Structures are given as C-alpha cells and as structure tokens.
C-alpha cells in the first residue's frame, strides 16, 4: 500500500535541522574557545577619590608641624619673649637635648581652623599650637621625657589640650620609669579668667596631674625642674615639687600670684617680678635649690644632677670609670683644722680633697648656709655629702640648716645613694633668734629623717660633736660606721659655758670668799683638767670612738666603704625596693 511506504512525519515542536546544527556547533565552540571577559570601561576620575597612600593626611600633619616649629616674628607673644631676653620654647628644647634626640608627643595638638577644599577634603588655614612642647629626648645619652612651657602663647595658661598632654607625660614617666625634666615659664597650664569666658562657666580648680607627680617623687623617678621665666601658680608648684630645681638669674622668678593680683590683695604696689619672687628671694629661702646665671647654665646643672641618679628607685645609681686613685693620700688635711679651737677653716676644701677630683656638685649653696650638702663620687660611685659649715654661725645647726639636711637625706634615700658626712657640730643654734625660728622643731624633724631613712651612712668626725645635734648625726645607724680625726672633741656641752654650768656653785663661792682673780684661776685649772681628759685618745681607749685615723688617708677609708656598699649592700636594697618591702618616701 502506498501509505505504508511513506516516511513518518516530524513532531510539531522539533526545531528545524539547520537550527539544531547551529546550537550543537555553538556548544562545541564554547568548550574549545577560552572564556575571555568583556572589558569594562573605567569611570572618569571623581573629585571625591582620596589618595591610597594617605598623602593628604600626611600633608596636613606636615603643614601643622611646620607652623608649630616656625617662630612668627609678628606674633606679640614671640616678640615679648625675645625682648625679655628669653629663648623661644623650641630653642630651649634644642639646647637642652642631645642633638637629634628630640621626639615630640602631641606635635599637632592645638586649635585649628579648617577650610573645605572639596568633597571629603580640607586644609588647615590657621593654627595656634598647644603652649607646651612635650616629648622624649636624651641628656648625655640618657633617655628622658620632658615638658617645656611656651610663654609666648597665652603666657602658658591652660590651652590646646595642655592638661591632657601634661598628665600623659607624667604617666609615661611612671610607666617607662624615665626621668622627667620640666622647663617652666608661665603657669604650666594653670587657670586664667578668660577660661571662664571661653567655657561659659566657672569651675572648681582641678589638680589631676599631682597624683602622678607625688607617685614619681616617691618611686625615685628623677624630677628635675628649671625656672626660665615667671613661674606662676601651678607652674610654680610643678617646679618646686621637683627633686631638684634651678632658676635662671637673668630671667627667673616665682610666685603664687603676680604683682597685679598682689596689689589688689595686700596693697603692695610697684612690685617687679624680681622684687616679688626673684632669685634673691627664692634661692635664699630653699624654695628653689640652685641659682644659675642663664638658661644654658640651668640646662648644664640639670644634666649634671641627672648623671648621679638612677632612672628609678628600683635601680642602682650610675657609676663611671674613675681615674683618681682611691688610695690617694691628702697630706694637706693633717693641718686643715686649726689647733686654736675658735678659728674656722674651709669645710668645702675637705670635701673636694676627699672625693673624686671635680666631682662635687653642691645643692642649695645660698640657703641653710650652716649646712653644706651635695653630690659627689668616690671611686666613680655617686655619694651624698653632708657637712656642717663652721664659717656660718660657728657651725651651730639652725632651722634652715636642719631643713636642708632633712631634704637631702630623703633625696638620697629615694635614689639609693649612700651618705658620707663630715661632722663638726657644736650643737643646735641657741639664742632668741634660734628660738623664734623653731630651731628645735626643725631639729627634731631632722632627727626623724636620720632615723627613718635607711641609706648607709659613713661619718668622719673632723672636730666637734656636741649635744642632741651631734648625737642625731652620729648615732642614727647600728652598727655605727665612723672614724674620727685627731682634732676631734666631743661631749654633752662645749667647755665654753659647760664649766660655768657644771661648777657654778663652786666658782661663785670662790669669787665670794677669795675674789674674782682666784675664781678665774680656778676656772683655768678646771679647763686644763677637762682639756686633758678630753684627749680623743682617751675616748678611743674606752672604745667610745671606733677608730682615730690620719686625716691624710681619709679618702682611702671612704672609698673602701663606698665600694663595699655598692658591691654588697645596695643590690639587696634595690631588690627590696622592687619587691615593695622597702618604700622610702620623698614627700
């Protein structure tokens, strides 16, 4: 049949043969040809795009730092600074620190006016830096932190995050156990009435940084301050609180409030800064330790004092190599004490002869002048020095002298520095002036310092040791470590006056019965007898003095003691400090 031989018809949905072949060919081609993505056209640059290397931010920082580091001769504060003969703050930093060691902290803190230059972009157009430069640096290789007031900006009053910066540096000194140097010129962030206006309200005065200051002082982290202009209010407090302070004679002054405020409160008119609180006031009353002729000399004194001190009380003081032989004999010392007991001698010459050559640095030479204190080295090792001064008040220890030694004892105790003292003390000062100035009150405070501190003490008795004052100085350690010179004399009271008291009845009776001439003759007999009995060798016979030495060998004896102290005693003391079992206090 015809129908049986015809081909079957295709389904309705089947694609035509040509279409199927094309699809198959496309599938094969896709497997053979790699899949290359289509290129996308880049967008045109947009003003809001920021540089990937943050050069815009770095540029802003560089601009601000350049402004801060460049003095503005048209600025009235800068002009005033120069007219007063003072260095600009960054000149001070440069002169103080070792070359190239300055690392600023808070380098762009301050008040900035910004101008928008485009979407997401701005630039500084006006900048008033913080009025205190702070950071890290080195003094003769020693790393320190420092703060330096900029009096040319608002006279150093609180501004530009100053308080926050200062507290941060105080905390850094504690955390890193680094000495801190404070160059004070102004109020160091103290208040101003204009602060009330800018804030819109008044405030109860805060003092947050002193928590850290007191902690530093008692940790033995060196605090060294210089008065390089008018130190006012908080600025004055900051520098006076330091372990050591120095004032520049040509520009320095210090006071609680300036002449204008004083005029309104006490009606004292016409006072200059120097009249109110210059060197003649505060370098002679103990408020400031030392006087220097100018700023450069202030910096040099700070470097010198730091060279004797450790970075903290948990370390030993730094030692240096010594070229001065420890066994050097000093024949001149044999005749330095006059045989005539009422004659004086130069006590500083004894000190400089015994210690390493050129190593004695005196602290507080203009106040408390009945006492001499300072720092020196024996065999290259830092040693504290205390001596009485027979050239002032015959060496009798008055109230300022007691205060001076008290402060020095605490200073040495906090820095683990042993004490060498040269003793020639006729007793505490006497008379109405002494009584009015509370000599005994300050004398007892001195006794408290001797007996509460724990630094090793070695004493050289060069002449007199009398009364409570002598006992305090020589009996404060057990066992006592001391030697005496052949010129030594001692007792409860000096013979001058002592014979009158001890033999008052006898002498009066002789005078009444036999006349004044016989009374004077008997006095001379008693004096001769007592002088013979007071031969220091007799005291040594009774072991009342441990050893009488030839003054010429004093240096060798002292050096041997100091070397032993540094070798055996001080390392254990440092361990005790680190463990918290020994906690001396400076304040």
């Amino acid at each position: 049949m015809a129908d049986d031989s015809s081909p079957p018809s295709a389904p309705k949905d089947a694609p035509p043969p040509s279409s199927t072949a094309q699809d198959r060919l496309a599938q094969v081609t896709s497997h053979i040809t790699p899949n290359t993505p289509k290129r996308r056209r880049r967008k045109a640059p947009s003003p809001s795009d920021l540089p990937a290397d943050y050069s815009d931010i770095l540029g802003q920082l560089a601009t601000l730092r350049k402004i801060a580091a460049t003095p503005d001769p048209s600025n009235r504060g800068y002009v005033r600074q120069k007219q007063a003969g003072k260095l600009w703050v960054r000149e001070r930093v440069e002169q103080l620190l070792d070359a190239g060691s300055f690392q600023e902290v808070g380098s762009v803190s301050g008040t900035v006016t910004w101008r928008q230059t485009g979407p997401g972009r701005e630039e500084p157009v006006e900048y008033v830096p913080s009025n205190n430069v702070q950071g890290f640096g080195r003094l003769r290789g020693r790393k320190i932190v420092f703060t330096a007031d900029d009096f040319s900006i608002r006279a150093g009053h609180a501004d530009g995050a100053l308080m926050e910066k200062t507290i941060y540096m105080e905390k850094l000194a504690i955390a890193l156990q680094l000495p801190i140097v404070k160059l004070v010129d102004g109020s160091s962030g103290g208040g101003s009435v204009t602060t009330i206006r800018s804030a819109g309200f008044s405030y109860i005065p805060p003092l947050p940084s002193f928590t850290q200051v007191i902690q530093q002082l008692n940790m033995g982290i060196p605090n060294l301050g210089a008065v390089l202009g008018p130190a006012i209010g908080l600025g004055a407090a900051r520098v006076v609180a330091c372990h050591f302070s120095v004032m520049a004679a040509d520009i320095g002054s210090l006071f609680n409030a300036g002449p204008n405020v004083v005029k309104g409160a006490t009606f004292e008119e016409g006072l200059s800064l120097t009249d109110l609180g210059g060197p003649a006031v505060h370098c002679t009353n103990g408020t400031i330790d030392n006087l220097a002729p100018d700023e450069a000399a202030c910096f040099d004194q700070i470097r010198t004092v730091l060279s004797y001190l450790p970075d903290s009380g948990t370390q030993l003081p730094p030692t240096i190599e010594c070229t001065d032989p420890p066994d050097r004999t000093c024949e001149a010392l044999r005749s330095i004490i006059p045989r005539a007991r009422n004659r004086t001698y130069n006590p500083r010459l004894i000190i400089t002869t015994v210690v390493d050559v050129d190593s004695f640095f005196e602290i507080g030479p203009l106040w408390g002048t009945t006492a001499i204190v300072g720092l020196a080295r024996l065999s290259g090792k830092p040693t504290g020095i205390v001596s009485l001064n027979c050239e002032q008040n015959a060496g009798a220890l008055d109230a300022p002298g007691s205060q001076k030694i008290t402060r020095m004892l605490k200073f040495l105790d906090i820095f683990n520095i042993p004490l060498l003292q040269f003793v020639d003390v006729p007793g505490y000062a006497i008379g109405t002036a002494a009584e009015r100035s509370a000599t005994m009150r300050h004398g007892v405070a001195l006794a408290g310092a001797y007996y509460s501190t724990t630094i090793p003490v070695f004493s050289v008795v060069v002449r007199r040791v009398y009364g409570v004052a002598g006992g305090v100085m020589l009996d404060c350690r057990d066992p006592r470590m001391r030697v005496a010179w052949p010129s030594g004399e001692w007792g409860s009271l000096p013979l001058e006056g002592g014979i009158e008291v001890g033999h008052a009845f006898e002498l009066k009776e002789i005078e009444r019965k036999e006349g004044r001439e016989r009374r004077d003759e008997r006095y001379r007999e008693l004096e001769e007898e007592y002088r013979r009995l007071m031969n220091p060798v007799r005291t040594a016979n009774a072991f009342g003095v441990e050893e009488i030495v030839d003054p010429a060998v004093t240096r060798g004896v002292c050096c041997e003691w100091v070397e032993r102290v540094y070798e055996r005693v001080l390392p254990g003391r440092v361990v005790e400090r680190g463990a918290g079992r020994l906690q001396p206090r400076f304040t």
Side-chain angles (χ1 to χ4, degrees):
M1 294 179 59
D3 293 338
D4 294 337
S5 59
S6 61
S9 59
K12 288 182 177 182
D13 296 335
S18 60
S19 174
T20 302
Q22 289 174 358
D23 290 344
R24 184 62 179 162
L25 180 61
Q27 285 182 342
V28 173
T29 303
S30 67
H31 285 289
I32 297 173
T33 306
N35 185 18
T36 55
K38 293 181 179 180
R39 281 188 174 183
R40 295 183 179 179
R41 295 180 64 185
R42 292 181 61 87
K43 293 181 180 179
S46 168
S48 62
D49 287 343
L50 299 176
D53 61 357
Y54 293 90
S55 57
D56 57 328
I57 302 296
L58 294 175
Q60 293 171 1
L61 292 171
T63 298
L64 295 175
R65 287 171 180 153
K66 183 177 180 180
I67 294 172
T70 305
D72 181 4
S74 64
N75 178 276
R76 66 176 183 175
Y78 179 79
V79 172
R80 179 183 58 205
Q81 188 84 355
K82 287 302 180 179
Q83 288 176 341
K86 299 192 290 184
L87 294 172
W88 184 46
V89 62
R90 291 182 182 270
E91 293 172 331
R92 285 173 175 161
V93 171
E94 183 178 349
Q95 285 200 19
L96 171 71
L97 302 177
D98 296 352
S101 69
F102 175 34
Q103 297 173 281
E104 190 166 359
V105 174
S107 60
V108 296
S109 62
T111 304
V112 185
T113 301
W114 295 91
R115 179 179 66 192
Q116 188 171 351
T117 59
R121 293 176 182 268
E122 61 181 357
E123 65 180 10
V125 293
E126 187 178 342
Y127 175 42
V128 179
S130 169
N131 51 12
N132 195 295
V133 177
Q134 306 181 346
F136 296 92
R138 293 185 182 274
L139 294 185
R140 295 178 182 172
R142 292 271 298 277
K143 190 159 190 176
I144 65 159
V145 297
F146 73 90
T147 69
D149 293 336
D150 186 354
F151 190 75
S152 69
I153 302 176
R154 294 194 68 230
H157 292 304
D159 200 359
L162 172 56
M163 183 57 70
E164 291 79 1
K165 284 177 64 177
T166 301
I167 294 173
Y168 180 71
M169 298 310 296
E170 302 282 7
K171 289 180 177 179
L172 276 184
I174 294 170
L176 301 177
Q177 295 194 10
L178 287 175
I180 183 168
V181 174
K182 302 170 183 180
L183 307 183
V184 177
D185 183 5
S187 68
S188 284
S192 166
V193 293
T194 59
T195 306
I196 301 172
R197 188 178 185 186
S198 60
F201 60 91
S202 187
Y203 53 89
I204 297 174
L207 203 60
S209 64
F210 258 62
T211 300
Q212 288 77 37
V213 169
I214 300 303
Q215 188 177 352
Q216 291 167 15
L217 294 174
N218 291 328
M219 286 178 65
I221 293 173
N223 271 238
L224 311 174
V227 181
L228 307 178
I232 312 162
L234 179 59
R238 291 186 73 233
V239 72
V240 172
C242 289
H243 291 115
F244 172 79
S245 58
V246 58
M247 178 182 286
D250 56 342
I251 55 175
S253 57
L254 180 146
F255 30 77
N256 297 325
N260 288 333
V261 178
V262 169
K263 180 174 66 174
T266 68
F267 309 108
E268 296 174 271
E269 298 187 4
L271 292 174
S272 68
L273 301 182
T274 303
D275 295 334
L276 185 57
V281 177
H282 289 308
C283 293
T284 60
N285 66 11
T287 300
I288 296 296
D289 292 309
N290 279 29
L291 180 65
D294 52 30
E295 295 187 62
C298 284
F299 302 153
D300 193 51
Q301 287 201 28
I302 287 174
R303 295 185 196 102
T304 300
V305 171
L306 183 60
S307 71
Y308 295 95
L309 308 181
D311 284 345
S312 77
T314 57
Q315 299 175 14
L316 291 174
T319 61
I320 63 173
E321 193 159 338
C322 178
T323 57
D324 189 3
D327 58 352
R328 168 174 54 83
T329 57
C330 317
E331 286 82 1
L333 294 180
R334 290 174 177 153
S335 57
I336 197 169
I337 305 297
R339 294 302 294 252
R341 291 173 174 83
N342 60 350
R343 289 184 57 196
T344 64
Y345 58 90
N346 183 356
R348 290 179 176 84
L349 183 57
I350 293 178
I351 297 169
T352 56
T353 302
V354 171
V355 302
D356 295 354
V357 172
D358 296 328
S359 74
F360 179 54
F361 179 84
E362 187 169 355
I363 296 176
L366 300 180
W367 76 283
T369 53
T370 57
I372 299 169
V373 305
L375 296 166
R377 290 187 179 87
L378 287 166
S379 296
K381 298 170 176 60
T383 306
I385 301 294
V386 167
S387 172
L388 281 304
N389 185 4
C390 65
E391 295 182 319
Q392 295 289 328
N393 200 31
L397 196 53
D398 59 5
S402 292
Q403 290 173 289
K404 185 174 175 178
I405 299 176
T406 297
R407 180 175 171 84
M408 191 63 187
L409 290 173
K410 294 179 179 181
F411 179 95
L412 299 176
D413 202 40
I414 212 73
F415 290 119
N416 306 315
I417 299 176
L419 169 63
L420 169 63
Q421 53 183 6
F422 298 93
V423 182
D424 177 10
V425 56
Y428 287 126
I430 58 176
T432 56
E435 302 303 338
R436 290 193 184 100
S437 61
T439 295
M440 187 52 73
R441 167 65 65 187
H442 294 294
V444 170
L446 173 61
Y450 266 111
Y451 282 86
S452 62
T453 55
T454 58
I455 45 162
V457 177
F458 190 85
S459 302
V460 178
V461 179
V462 299
R463 192 155 67 172
R464 300 160 297 175
V465 182
Y466 286 107
V468 176
V472 164
M473 295 186 73
L474 285 177
D475 208 36
C476 59
R477 296 292 184 270
D478 188 15
R480 297 179 291 264
M481 298 186 189
R482 65 190 184 190
V483 295
W485 284 3
S487 49
E489 60 176 84
W490 32 71
S492 297
L493 286 172
L495 285 187
E496 297 80 2
I499 294 176
E500 298 277 4
V501 173
H503 294 268
F505 180 77
E506 177 187 358
L507 293 172
K508 284 180 181 179
E509 285 297 298
I510 292 175
E511 183 174 4
R512 183 176 65 84
K513 295 177 180 178
E514 305 179 42
R516 180 74 181 183
E517 186 176 341
R518 173 63 186 131
R519 183 259 184 209
D520 292 343
E521 181 183 347
R522 177 56 181 158
Y523 182 92
R524 288 191 293 272
E525 291 173 355
L526 290 170
E527 184 179 29
E528 182 181 346
E529 179 184 3
Y530 279 113
R531 292 291 180 199
R532 179 176 56 81
L533 294 175
M534 291 176 68
N535 180 349
V537 178
R538 284 177 170 264
T539 308
N541 295 154
F543 202 61
V545 61
E546 289 74 16
E547 194 64 37
I548 299 174
V549 301
D550 178 357
V553 303
T554 302
R555 171 172 168 80
V557 173
C558 295
C559 284
E560 185 177 0
W561 174 77
V562 165
E563 287 171 1
R564 186 64 179 178
V565 164
Y566 269 84
E567 179 184 352
R568 291 294 181 184
V569 179
L570 293 186
R573 177 185 172 87
V574 167
V575 170
E576 293 289 302
R577 293 281 298 271
R581 291 188 290 269
L582 179 62
Q583 296 180 330
R585 297 188 65 82
F586 183 75
T587 186

